[in-house]
Amino acid sequence: MRKTLAFAIGLLFMVGRTFAGAADAIDIPFEKFQLSNGLTVVVHEDRKAPVVAVGVWYHVGSKDERPGKTGFAHLFEHLMFQGSENFRDEFFRPLEQVGATDRNGTTNADRTNYFETVPTTALDMTLWLESDRMGHLLGAIDQKVLDEQRGVVQNEKRQGDNEPYGLAYERILRASFPEGHPYRWDTIGSMDDLNAASLDDVKQWFRDYYGAANTTVVLAGDIDAATAKEKIQKYFGAIGSGPPLARREAWVAPRTDSSRDVAQDRVAQVRIYRSWNVPQRYTADLSRLQIAAAILGGGKTSRLYERLIYREQLADSVGVSIEPMELASLFGLDVDVKRGVDPARVEQVIAEEWQRFLDKGPTEEELKRVKTSILAGVVRSVEKVGGAGKARTLAEGQVYNDDPASYKASLARLDAATVADVHNAAKNWIARGDYTLVVEPFADYKAAPESVDRSKGLPTVERFPDLSFPAIERGTLRNGIEVVLARRTSLPVVQLSLQFDGGYASDQGRKLGTASFAMAMLDEGTRSLDALQIAKRQEELGVGISAGAGLDATAVSMDALKAQLKPSLALFAEIVRHPAFASTDLERVRGLWLSGIAQERTQPVSIALRLLPPLVYGEGHPYAIPLTGSGTADSIRALTAQDLADYHRDFIRPDNARIMVAGDTTLAEITRELDAVFGDWKAPSAVLKKPAVDQVVQPSRPRVFLMDRPGAQQSLILAGETAPSSRAKNYLEIGTMNTILGGSFTSRLNMNLREDKHWAYGVRSLMQSAEGPGLFLLYAPVQTDKTAESVRELIKEARDINGARPITREEIDKVRNNDIRELPGRFETTTAVLGAVVDIVRNGRPDDYVQTFKQRVEGQKEDDIRAAAREVIKPDALTWVIVGDLAKIEAGVRALNVGEVKVVDADGKPVR
């Protein structure tokens, strides 16, 4: 199934978390208790960082809605961010001020959750906020607030529907589940139902489902159970339990007959979806089917990938995954058919491989390999307390299975799964598909007396924990390659990034896309290993190796288990130093790449990112290329193996390399092991030539370029101009200025177009990182009938920040406080530490940059921040690219008289 987020997340959370061999090794200790009002609380103590992950999980989702009243659960996710009776403001504001990370809310068919990771000293404030919106919300919801958020949600729906294949998931749900089944509609609901929702309807929904007895609170991190119990009782104890609720029984509704639909959309290629109804969460057969999904289509070593993509090259992508849910799950297949290939042939191959699996089942080698691969994911998933880490794992078990330790049983089920078990589950469920209501006595819950005087307002946070970040160490290999290490021993992993100067900009004088394509080819085969052997070896070692390119650099990265460091580095070096660039691999990847470019040309954001840089930088500049880095169809068709080998010789070389490392190793150990695989690597005799990314001349007046996308439900507005390098001395002031204008949820742009006018789901300004002149961008996907009005507002905001509404001290303090206070939670993971090291090295920052970041932020002068706004934001130099239905938007845009207007095609060529 391809619901871009739902199915991917389902696989990560149900497959990536359930390696049973780790049932004993993976342990998340917790204490669980219940208040007298029925609120369930789970506490996990982890003193690794001075932060606490807070998760509030309401056991209500779109399955609890009724036909004609869909979308309520997701609508409330938005409403509950808009303030409560005792805090009449956006809930993100105080969380930003204390440096909260991993903060958001999400809704699916079965639950709604809110989560944030906050400094320990901000826990009281956070619990006050969460309890106030749980127990004191309805007085803050009026018709104006409802209409505003209804508009935001509808724009979110338009944005999703506007994407290629955006309506596929709704069709899949309607076809998969019978009339009366609560999974027949998408979480976001329908436009008609959202428009029909009255204020009374919405408030009754909250009274029914958001009581204490239907809620689980999880606290994970720098806290113990005794402290948690006192704080939870204080803030949540007086909240009412809510009414008794009927819980639906599992209703898998397996189907016996095949059915088929054909639909049309504005997409680049045929995509085939296929789905089966399978058992609900926490069942043995679902665990077994997760293994089957990985073997059939879970990655490069899967049967369908090997046949459809690697061997016969009939498709550009294939995936088999499971969307796990509480009443039933969906087992899904999706395939992007290569253009020019008969879809019937692809379906024939799928049928052959499916039947082969149903006839003989998996092999012992496949079973072992998939379990090993999953184990690596499990080990890494429990590093964080927040986000997708330990707090979420405990909450899922409690909400869905009344047991926070349910992950252990899931791991055990996977460990116990045999070849025969997986084979039988497949024959029972994916070879061909009742409602009982049980009413149990409702506990006699009673609310405790109110213990908080909420009239005093939000508790203040006066203390913030200090940052913990490892010291940077530097060494050198015997051939001169610099090694930069930040040692972090909390998890037995070692991550490294081998960085080379170059990137997309090094395509200058070559065929566009060469850098990205060459890096993508590194793991497609070496002199001694083919692509599938490389993929299998990675799974055997539990290592992840990837390569890619950015604007100014290319990198090969590795994420290895410490116990497998030596063989992992051997494989890593083989990939870096000895790529084969074999013609068969080249042609296979070329086909995938051309399909990717075709996809880019159907997606509004990608279209704009391809068009804008050449217009801003001008012909001949190294940055005057599609910002996706993928090149053009013509340039990719012309690429040869020699082109790739030449690029590898010219840029992937030891005198152009630096190695950044983070994780559980010492400088002596990692230098020794790297020397063993890279120390004898010698640079070629040819002089290294790096692209000259000189300054460019700003245009003297605005320009507007329109591209037609008939039938588009939204217009994508992207405006840009050149901006200072990310190495500029005043990069901090520039960043602060940008955050105020459009770099955060509560920025001027987002509050204007999303929150005040609800014309868009999200509006941003961005600073593109670049060694030369970067890009300052205004990004706004807006509803079609507000395109011209949105452009007008963007221009007004860009002028006002240097005119009628200069940056205020209050805005500066908000950004400054957030930048400082989120620091303790920013570097919880090894990946985050490595990212900081890469930033320090590539941008020439001092080694103590992170440790001194607080002083640097505090040292910013208000006048310097306002000066940065004047330096960067030049409305009369902006180049505008607008992608939308020109029949509906062109006249309005021309009437603005922003500047010269041209209509161009997807390649930037004038149409009129």
Side-chain angles (χ1 to χ4, degrees):
M1 299 289 305
R2 181 170 307 198
K3 173 71 170 171
T4 305
L5 291 178
F7 277 79
I9 290 173
L11 182 62
L12 284 173
F13 278 29
M14 296 302 291
V15 174
R17 289 180 179 275
T18 55
F19 179 81
D24 295 325
I26 305 299
D27 186 37
I28 310 174
F30 67 89
E31 291 193 39
K32 170 182 165 181
F33 58 89
Q34 190 175 65
L35 302 190
S36 62
N37 60 4
L39 182 75
T40 299
V41 185
V42 181
V43 183
H44 164 66
E45 184 175 350
D46 180 345
R47 302 290 187 177
K48 179 169 74 269
V51 295
V52 179
V54 179
V56 182
W57 288 55
Y58 298 91
H59 199 168
V60 58
S62 59
K63 76 171 188 304
D64 301 294
E65 300 160 353
R66 295 293 180 269
K69 293 185 182 296
T70 64
F72 278 32
H74 178 256
L75 176 60
F76 249 97
E77 176 204 318
H78 285 255
L79 288 170
M80 290 180 75
F81 277 116
Q82 299 309 301
S84 54
E85 294 170 4
N86 302 290
F87 183 73
R88 302 282 181 137
D89 202 351
E90 297 274 351
F91 267 57
F92 278 125
R93 289 190 195 277
L95 293 173
E96 287 177 348
Q97 287 294 297
V98 300
T101 57
D102 290 322
R103 57 184 187 269
N104 211 337
T106 66
T107 310
N108 65 22
D110 301 317
R111 59 95 187 113
T112 303
N113 68 344
Y114 300 88
F115 51 91
E116 53 272 330
T117 301
V118 300
T120 309
T121 53
L123 181 58
D124 281 272
M125 184 208 77
T126 304
L127 295 178
W128 189 100
L129 282 168
E130 291 288 2
S131 62
D132 210 62
R133 66 174 162 190
M134 181 191 295
H136 305 271
L137 181 74
L138 292 185
I141 298 178
D142 56 20
Q143 192 65 48
K144 179 178 180 294
V145 171
L146 173 60
D147 290 342
E148 171 192 302
Q149 291 309 306
R150 180 179 9 228
V152 169
V153 169
Q154 288 176 330
N155 271 307
E156 181 180 356
K157 179 170 174 60
R158 291 186 187 100
Q159 187 164 324
D161 292 350
N162 200 43
E163 289 297 313
Y165 314 105
L167 296 173
Y169 188 60
E170 290 185 32
R171 287 179 171 269
I172 291 166
L173 291 178
R174 285 198 301 269
S176 296
F177 297 103
E179 288 289 347
H181 199 290
Y183 287 162
R184 272 182 64 83
W185 51 85
D186 200 359
T187 302
I188 204 166
S190 77
M191 286 287 197
D192 289 343
D193 290 357
L194 289 169
N195 282 326
S198 70
L199 188 60
D200 288 341
D201 290 337
V202 170
K203 289 190 174 185
Q204 189 58 50
W205 172 264
F206 181 82
R207 295 187 189 102
D208 288 344
Y209 290 105
Y210 294 79
N214 196 39
T215 307
T216 295
V217 175
V218 177
L219 303 179
D222 188 19
I223 190 170
D224 55 67
T227 303
K229 187 172 293 187
E230 179 271 326
K231 291 183 183 295
I232 293 292
Q233 177 65 38
K234 175 180 177 181
Y235 292 106
F236 291 85
I239 295 173
S241 61
L245 294 173
R247 291 287 178 219
R248 293 179 181 268
E249 289 286 321
W251 185 8
V252 179
R255 303 183 302 280
T256 56
D257 297 328
S258 297
S259 59
R260 188 179 187 92
D261 279 319
V262 178
Q264 296 177 334
D265 193 4
R266 293 182 182 277
V267 297
Q269 61 199 123
V270 174
R271 178 177 292 170
I272 300 169
Y273 296 93
R274 192 165 291 168
S275 67
W276 294 256
N277 290 26
V278 296
Q280 70 278 13
R281 286 177 178 266
Y282 301 115
T283 56
D285 267 2
L286 188 65
S287 296
R288 296 159 183 163
L289 289 170
Q290 287 157 359
I291 296 174
I295 293 170
L296 283 166
K300 275 190 173 182
T301 59
S302 67
R303 295 186 180 189
L304 287 172
Y305 186 98
E306 182 174 355
R307 178 91 183 269
L308 286 171
I309 296 179
Y310 189 79
R311 192 139 44 94
E312 298 192 25
Q313 300 184 34
L314 300 174
D316 293 324
S317 71
V318 59
V320 180
S321 60
I322 292 176
E323 182 179 9
M325 295 183 286
E326 197 169 6
L327 307 183
S329 300
L330 284 174
F331 188 106
L333 158 77
D334 62 86
V335 182
D336 281 348
V337 178
K338 185 180 290 293
R339 288 191 297 173
V341 171
D342 184 355
R345 172 58 185 156
V346 174
E347 292 195 69
Q348 179 186 352
V349 171
I350 293 168
E352 291 169 359
E353 291 301 319
W354 218 262
Q355 193 59 50
R356 184 164 71 92
F357 190 83
L358 293 174
D359 289 343
K360 297 182 179 181
T363 66
E364 289 285 357
E365 186 272 338
E366 286 174 322
L367 188 67
K368 180 181 177 181
R369 190 177 73 242
V370 166
K371 287 184 178 181
T372 301
S373 179
I374 292 171
L375 172 60
V378 173
V379 170
R380 295 182 178 104
S381 73
V382 297
E383 182 178 12
K384 294 185 70 173
V385 293
K390 290 186 277 191
R392 178 167 186 150
T393 300
L394 296 173
E396 284 182 334
Q398 174 58 37
V399 171
Y400 297 134
N401 205 39
D402 198 30
D403 179 10
S406 292
Y407 67 93
K408 286 183 174 286
S410 296
L411 295 172
R413 281 192 293 270
L414 272 169
D415 188 37
T418 65
V419 166
D421 290 334
V422 175
H423 190 199
N424 289 333
K427 289 190 292 185
N428 288 337
W429 291 103
I430 59 172
R432 44 161 183 46
D434 190 346
Y435 167 74
T436 300
L437 175 64
V438 177
V439 179
E440 295 181 343
F442 188 65
D444 185 19
Y445 295 120
K446 294 180 181 178
E450 177 66 79
S451 59
V452 176
D453 183 357
R454 297 181 183 273
S455 65
K456 294 181 179 179
L458 185 69
T460 59
V461 181
E462 298 176 348
R463 297 181 301 107
F464 296 89
D466 294 328
L467 168 70
S468 174
F469 190 87
I472 286 181
E473 305 173 68
R474 293 179 183 257
T476 306
L477 303 188
R478 65 178 185 267
N479 62 352
I481 296 178
E482 184 181 21
V483 178
V484 185
L485 168 68
R487 189 181 184 198
R488 168 68 70 83
T489 61
S490 58
L491 198 69
V493 299
V494 177
Q495 297 183 9
L496 61 83
S497 179
L498 174 54
Q499 297 258 332
F500 304 92
D501 290 340
Y504 310 154
S506 60
D507 283 346
Q508 189 177 41
R510 302 173 190 264
K511 295 159 186 171
L512 288 183
T514 299
S516 292
F517 198 101
M519 299 308 290
M521 284 288 293
L522 292 188
D523 66 350
E524 293 294 339
T526 70
R527 297 173 189 171
S528 59
L529 298 170
D530 65 27
L532 295 184
Q533 289 172 322
I534 291 173
K536 287 179 180 178
R537 185 60 176 149
Q538 289 189 70
E539 290 184 354
E540 290 166 358
L541 296 172
V543 65
I545 299 174
S546 60
L551 183 63
D552 294 300
T554 57
V556 191
S557 301
M558 183 186 81
D559 185 346
L561 300 174
K562 180 175 176 60
Q564 300 288 353
L565 180 59
K566 187 185 292 288
S568 296
L569 279 172
L571 178 63
F572 180 76
E574 173 73 13
I575 290 171
V576 172
R577 297 180 61 177
H578 305 299
F581 300 129
S583 58
T584 54
D585 296 323
L586 172 60
E587 294 309 317
R588 173 170 48 82
V589 175
R590 193 200 310 274
L592 301 176
W593 205 275
L594 290 171
S595 294
I597 292 175
Q599 290 276 15
E600 289 179 5
R601 290 163 61 90
T602 68
Q603 296 167 342
V605 173
S606 299
I607 291 170
L609 290 175
R610 293 181 65 84
L611 292 176
L612 186 62
L615 298 172
V616 172
Y617 288 105
E619 186 176 355
H621 193 279
Y623 291 169
I625 54 177
L627 199 56
T628 59
S630 55
T632 67
D634 288 343
S635 67
I636 297 302
R637 290 191 187 100
L639 266 182
T640 66
Q642 189 60 51
D643 293 330
L644 304 178
D646 290 346
Y647 184 87
H648 185 269
R649 178 199 63 216
D650 293 344
F651 284 94
I652 310 306
R653 48 195 282 175
D655 58 341
N656 189 38
R658 289 174 288 192
I659 304 176
M660 284 71 114
V661 188
D664 188 9
T665 186
T666 64
L667 184 62
E669 177 189 32
I670 194 63
T671 302
R672 181 181 67 249
E673 299 300 340
L674 286 169
D675 245 331
V677 296
F678 286 115
D680 63 346
W681 192 16
K682 293 181 173 56
S685 58
V687 176
L688 176 65
K689 297 180 181 179
K690 298 182 181 180
V693 287
D694 302 325
Q695 293 290 329
V696 297
V697 178
Q698 295 270 26
S700 58
R701 59 181 182 273
R703 300 169 297 164
V704 181
F705 296 86
L706 304 179
M707 185 195 155
D708 194 16
R709 194 166 185 264
Q713 298 184 46
Q714 280 192 322
S715 297
L716 189 284
I717 302 170
L718 191 69
E721 55 168 308
T722 57
S725 163
S726 52
R727 297 176 174 179
K729 292 181 179 180
N730 64 337
Y731 67 93
L732 271 180
E733 289 80 4
I734 291 172
T736 298
M737 170 278 298
N738 179 66
T739 302
I740 291 167
L741 177 65
S744 72
F745 182 88
T746 55
S747 65
R748 292 186 179 189
L749 294 180
N750 200 54
M751 297 304 291
N752 183 346
L753 270 71
R754 171 183 162 135
E755 296 298 290
D756 293 343
K757 298 182 174 63
H758 43 273
W759 294 346
Y761 180 60
V763 180
R764 296 286 185 268
S765 63
L766 307 98
M767 299 293 303
Q768 178 211 12
S769 178
E771 293 181 9
L775 278 178
F776 167 70
L777 299 171
L778 300 178
Y779 161 80
V782 301
Q783 61 192 65
T784 297
D785 62 344
K786 298 298 181 184
T787 302
E789 293 88 339
S790 297
V791 172
R792 182 185 297 116
E793 289 299 316
L794 291 170
I795 294 172
K796 180 177 182 296
E797 293 287 358
R799 294 194 186 283
D800 282 356
I801 200 167
N802 291 320
R805 291 175 58 222
I807 293 172
T808 66
R809 175 177 298 178
E810 179 184 10
E811 290 175 312
I812 293 172
D813 287 344
K814 183 190 75 169
V815 175
R816 180 186 286 141
N817 290 339
N818 184 64
D819 285 347
I820 293 171
R821 294 168 185 175
E822 73 174 14
L823 274 176
R826 186 189 292 180
F827 302 107
E828 186 183 357
T829 66
T830 307
T831 301
V833 172
L834 180 60
V837 175
V838 171
D839 175 70
I840 287 169
V841 175
R842 290 215 59 84
N843 290 303
R845 314 209 196 285
D847 284 357
D848 64 352
Y849 173 72
V850 174
Q851 292 89 338
T852 59
F853 185 76
K854 179 175 182 290
Q855 296 94 302
R856 296 172 188 275
V857 171
E858 290 174 336
Q860 296 177 92
K861 295 181 174 60
E862 294 179 18
D863 286 345
D864 291 342
I865 294 169
R866 296 184 186 106
R870 293 191 294 272
E871 178 185 4
V872 173
I873 305 173
K874 296 178 168 54
D876 290 335
L878 285 171
T879 297
W880 298 80
V881 172
I882 304 174
V883 182
D885 189 339
L886 295 194
K888 298 177 180 177
I889 69 172
E890 182 177 357
V893 172
R894 288 184 180 277
L896 291 173
N897 292 317
V898 172
E900 182 184 8
V901 178
K902 293 183 179 179
V903 179
V904 297
D905 62 15
D907 296 313
K909 297 177 181 178
V911 174
R912 64 175 188 273

